């Protein structure tokens, strides 16, 4: 094999490794976001539900229900079923309900806890939006695609004797398949919230959010 071709192989592997390492870091961070949102939603609901204990006679039923609907909106938004404007409208409504619920409290610390949970939810939503809308190192993507294409083309031009014809074709096919698979995997991992894309397979698990939705439904509608 030509030294230049060997260098091209090394460069391609380096670019793919760089991309894979970068998108995996974002993917691991993305896996935490549904859990963080679920925790904040459930804690917020429990805190508001407990307000009548601190202030007897406080009416917070609608305020707790708003949290359930926010959870529902976030799930639909992550799955690409509603727009960002719609989920932000739901967040604003829930924030208003949280402020209304906090007005029953005399303790500023308890009020601050409600607003802190709302802030955590908003931060997680914004982080998801940034991850979905931002491509990791676009120029490196381009270089990786070009390098992979040039490498496969170079391998097809290698001349060998007739005895090595089938061996060359086998390795060319295998290498091409691996490169295409890795490039597709990197592209898929780059958007862990690509539920709206039918070709996306490596998406984060929303089971914790869906479980929280069920718990909030019980908390809001089934309990007296």
């Amino acid at each position: 094999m030509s030294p230049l071709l060997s260098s091209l192989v090394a460069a391609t592997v380096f670019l793919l490794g760089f991309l894979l390492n970068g998108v995996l870091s974002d993917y691991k961070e993305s896996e935490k976001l549904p859990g963080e949102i679920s925790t904040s939603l459930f804690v917020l609901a429990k805190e508001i539900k407990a307000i009548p204990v601190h202030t007897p006679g406080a009416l917070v039923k609608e305020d707790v229900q708003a949290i359930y609907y926010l959870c529902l909106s976030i799930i639909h938004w992550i799955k690409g079923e509603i727009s960002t404007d719609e989920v932000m409208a739901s967040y604003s409504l829930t924030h208003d309900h949280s402020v209304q619920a906090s007005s029953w409290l005399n303790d500023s610390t308890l009020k601050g806890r409600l607003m802190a949970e709302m802030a955590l939810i908003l931060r997680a939503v914004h982080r998801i939006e940034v991850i979905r809308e931002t491509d990791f190192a676009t120029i490196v993507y381009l270089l990786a695609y070009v390098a992979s294409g040039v490498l496969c083309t170079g391998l097809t031009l290698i001349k060998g004797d007739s005895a090595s014809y089938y061996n060359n074709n086998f390795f060319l096919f295998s290498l091409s398949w691996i490169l295409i698979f890795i490039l597709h995997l990197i592209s898929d991992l780059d958007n862990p919230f690509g539920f709206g894309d039918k070709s996306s397979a490596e998406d984060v698990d929303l089971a914790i959010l869906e479980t929280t939705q069920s718990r909030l439904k019980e908390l809001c509608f089934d309990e007296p």
Side-chain angles (χ1 to χ4, degrees):
M1 182 181 291
S2 168
L4 292 177
L5 192 57
S6 300
S7 300
L8 181 58
V9 172
T12 304
V13 171
F14 171 78
L15 288 173
L16 292 177
F18 174 79
L19 283 172
L20 189 58
N21 181 65
V23 297
L24 278 176
S25 298
D26 284 345
Y27 188 86
K28 295 303 293 183
E29 179 186 352
S30 301
E31 285 184 317
K32 303 175 184 177
L33 294 175
E36 292 176 359
I37 294 175
S38 298
T39 301
S40 294
L41 286 169
F42 194 72
V43 169
L44 183 62
K46 294 292 286 185
E47 291 282 358
I48 294 179
K49 187 80 172 180
I51 287 178
V53 176
H54 303 286
T55 309
L59 303 175
V60 296
K61 183 177 181 180
E62 292 184 0
D63 303 324
V64 179
Q65 290 176 353
I67 300 171
Y68 166 77
Y69 291 120
L70 175 59
C71 180
L72 199 61
S73 296
I74 291 175
I75 293 174
H76 288 319
W77 172 66
I78 292 177
K79 292 182 177 180
E81 297 171 359
I82 63 174
S83 66
T84 302
D85 290 339
E86 289 176 291
V87 78
M88 290 307 299
S90 179
Y91 175 86
S92 297
L93 180 61
T94 306
H95 187 275
D96 292 341
H97 276 284
S98 298
V99 172
Q100 180 178 328
S102 68
S103 65
W104 293 97
L105 295 169
N106 296 320
D107 190 334
S108 60
T109 302
L110 295 177
K111 292 182 179 181
R113 282 162 57 177
L114 298 184
M115 296 302 101
E117 295 298 340
M118 289 300 301
L120 289 174
I121 294 170
L122 182 60
R123 183 171 65 180
V125 168
H126 282 167
R127 182 59 182 145
I128 292 174
E129 178 68 7
V130 170
I131 290 173
R132 289 207 302 193
E133 299 299 328
T134 305
D135 292 329
F136 177 78
T138 306
I139 188 63
V140 183
Y141 267 117
L142 178 61
L143 289 174
Y145 277 107
V146 171
S148 299
V150 172
L151 177 59
C152 292
T153 302
L155 290 174
T156 60
L157 298 178
I158 294 178
K159 294 183 179 180
D161 53 37
S162 58
S164 62
Y165 174 78
Y166 293 104
N167 288 337
N168 290 340
N169 283 344
F170 171 77
F171 286 113
L172 174 61
F173 173 80
S174 300
L175 181 59
S176 300
W177 183 85
I178 291 173
L179 288 175
I180 293 172
F181 176 81
I182 293 177
L183 287 170
H184 178 74
L185 176 63
I186 292 172
S187 179
D188 197 6
L189 289 174
D190 194 23
N191 184 10
F193 301 98
F195 292 92
D197 184 0
K198 294 182 179 180
S199 64
S200 180
E202 301 299 331
D203 297 319
V204 298
D205 189 3
L206 298 183
I208 184 63
L209 263 177
E210 292 169 345
T211 301
T212 300
Q213 176 196 339
S214 300
R215 291 171 180 168
L216 288 173
K217 186 176 182 180
E218 294 176 1
L219 185 67
C220 298
F221 300 102
D222 296 343
E223 292 185 6

